[in-house]
Amino acid sequence: NAGVTQTPKFQVLKTGQSMTLQCAQDMNHNSMYWYRQDPGMGLRLIYYSASEGTTDKGEVPNGYNVSRLNKREFSLRLESAAPSQTSVYFCASSGGQPLDEQYFGPGTRLTVT
Amino acid sequence: GQSLEQPSEVTAVEGAIVQINCTYQTSGFYGLSWYQQHDGGAPTFLSYNALDGLEETGRFSSFLSRSDSYGYLLLQELQMKDSASYFCAVMFSGGYNKLIFGAGTRLAVHP
């Protein structure tokens, strides 16, 4: 039981390049989330998927797109990376009810030069 | 909109008790949860409060006062391994689990 897995662990991009961050969970959770974490700013929600087939914007969606490929997988795409997107990206999943805890993946450390 | 405030840093010694406060302003409030994050690691769930009062889980307790829009995390018998960042997060009503996180409190435990 791996929980939440993310690939890659580290990535360096040049401005304007695109990439997709992958996330998968094996806990049969309904809801999945993408967060970014910048120093001193806590976690900010980028996009979330309350259930398979649905996605919604979070606090900071600009410059990102997501795909809920199936119940297990939720990917985050940067179409044209910018230095302001340098951050640590965390994927999380939960059962989907208000009191369900969220389980986080190990994170992807992205640097855009 | 939503906002949460918590102290940026707290320092304590091993064996002591420390309280990390969190105040919030939000609509559609359902509850308050707490997460711990060690440097370089992922956040992990500690506790939640949906009702007023104190919830105890081992050395950690969490408190909520909905009327005051205030909560706190209480850590007892501090250990060096408790040195980490602690985030409060507001849970929203609406049938799904969406969290808005505070900026975090960095706890340093000294011998």
Side-chain angles (χ1 to χ4, degrees):
Chain A
N1 192 346
V4 180
T5 57
Q6 293 183 235
T7 55
K9 286 186 168 49
F10 300 93
Q11 184 71 50
V12 179
L13 292 178
K14 295 187 188 305
T15 297
Q17 288 185 319
S18 62
M19 78 161 296
T20 300
L21 282 64
Q22 306 287 353
C23 174
Q25 53 90 10
D26 62 3
M27 295 174 281
N28 200 35
H29 282 164
N30 291 317
S31 299
M32 298 185 74
Y33 315 83
W34 277 105
Y35 295 91
R36 61 176 288 174
Q37 185 174 33
D38 304 313
M41 296 195 69
L43 293 137
R44 291 184 292 170
L45 184 63
I46 305 172
Y47 270 93
Y48 63 97
S49 172
S51 61
E52 186 179 356
T54 68
T55 61
D56 283 290
K57 295 178 180 179
E59 301 170 86
V60 288
N62 291 345
Y64 305 95
N65 285 301
V66 291
S67 295
R68 183 73 183 266
L69 304 169
N70 47 55
K71 192 171 186 179
R72 290 187 63 248
E73 299 172 287
F74 188 38
S75 63
L76 178 72
R77 182 160 179 83
L78 287 72
E79 290 291 351
S80 178
S84 60
Q85 294 178 305
T86 293
S87 189
V88 180
Y89 291 85
F90 287 101
C91 177
S93 70
S94 80
Q97 297 305 308
L99 298 181
D100 288 341
E101 67 177 275
Q102 293 191 10
Y103 294 82
F104 285 80
T108 294
R109 283 148 184 80
L110 175 67
T111 301
V112 183
T113 60
Chain B
Q2 299 89 18
S3 68
L4 295 94
E5 289 193 16
Q6 52 181 126
S8 58
E9 291 184 20
V10 174
T11 302
V13 296
E14 267 188 308
I17 299 172
V18 72
Q19 178 174 311
I20 299 173
N21 298 321
C22 175
T23 58
Y24 59 87
Q25 288 185 321
T26 185
S27 57
F29 176 84
Y30 195 94
L32 191 71
S33 57
W34 291 90
Y35 285 76
Q36 178 191 58
Q37 184 181 31
H38 288 96
D39 285 348
T44 56
F45 174 80
L46 289 176
S47 68
Y48 72 78
N49 296 72
L51 302 174
D52 285 358
L54 191 68
E55 294 285 341
E56 298 180 68
T57 308
R59 295 187 297 115
F60 294 179
S61 303
S62 58
F63 172 83
L64 176 66
S65 169
R66 297 172 74 105
S67 59
D68 295 323
S69 299
Y70 163 75
Y72 65 73
L73 180 69
L74 191 73
L75 297 83
Q76 303 182 73
E77 300 172 19
L78 282 173
Q79 302 174 10
M80 297 294 289
K81 67 178 182 180
D82 297 329
S83 293
S85 292
Y86 293 84
F87 297 89
C88 59
V90 171
M91 299 183 283
F92 293 90
S93 57
Y96 53 83
N97 182 313
K98 176 182 167 183
L99 294 176
I100 300 296
F101 283 81
T105 298
R106 190 172 182 86
L107 170 64
V109 180
H110 297 289

